[in-house]
Amino acid sequence: MRKITQETIEHFYSAKKFNKANMQVEVLPNVTIMKLHGNAIAYLYNDVKRTLSITNFGWQSNTTKERLNALKGVSISQKNFVWYLNGKEWNGKLIDIN
């Protein structure tokens, strides 16, 4: 795992603001948002379940995949240009992980 990914994930789960290179973590009262190149790719809600939602924001890049794979409960693989999330075909649209 890249150092920037590790730093971003630590800040994301700790709900601490972060901004380095192409990664940002924004902390709002009800949600913490992880952004790649300004695009929100993960949301961690401050609800009882601590719901995690992810999207690739239309970018099927190795960087997007690497950042999302660092999240708990997320396993993204790719075969023949098709992405699979936790073993099921995924179109990259916003989805809850829990």
Side-chain angles (χ1 to χ4, degrees), residues 61-93:
S61 70
N62 287 332
T63 303
T64 303
K65 187 176 6 168
E66 194 250 349
R67 302 296 196 267
L68 292 174
N69 271 329
L71 296 166
K72 298 172 189 171
V74 176
S75 176
I76 298 171
S77 59
Q78 182 177 350
K79 184 176 180 184
N80 297 326
F81 304 101
V82 176
W83 276 29
Y84 295 87
L85 171 61
N86 299 334
K88 296 181 182 178
E89 191 172 329
W90 179 49
N91 61 9
K93 295 194 182 208

Side-chain angles (χ1 to χ4, degrees), residues 20-34:
K20 186 174 184 181
N22 59 8
M23 295 303 302
Q24 301 88 37
V25 173
E26 184 178 347
V27 180
L28 302 175
N30 296 321
V31 64
T32 302
I33 305 167
M34 182 170 70

Side-chain angles (χ1 to χ4, degrees), residues 2-80:
R2 296 179 186 164
K3 183 177 180 182
I4 190 166
T5 301
Q6 186 176 16
E7 291 174 332
T8 303
I9 296 303
E10 288 171 7
H11 283 81
F12 181 69
Y13 281 113
S14 298
K16 293 181 181 173
K17 188 177 177 180
F18 179 76
N19 190 350
K20 186 174 184 181
N22 59 8
M23 295 303 302
Q24 301 88 37
V25 173
E26 184 178 347
V27 180
L28 302 175
N30 296 321
V31 64
T32 302
I33 305 167
M34 182 170 70
K35 295 180 178 182
L36 172 61
H37 294 294
N39 299 309
I41 60 171
Y43 304 85
L44 185 60
Y45 294 92
N46 297 330
D47 58 11
V48 176
K49 293 181 182 179
R50 297 281 292 160
T51 303
L52 172 67
S53 300
I54 65 168
T55 176
N56 69 15
F57 209 81
W59 294 97
Q60 289 187 326
S61 70
N62 287 332
T63 303
T64 303
K65 187 176 6 168
E66 194 250 349
R67 302 296 196 267
L68 292 174
N69 271 329
L71 296 166
K72 298 172 189 171
V74 176
S75 176
I76 298 171
S77 59
Q78 182 177 350
K79 184 176 180 184
N80 297 326

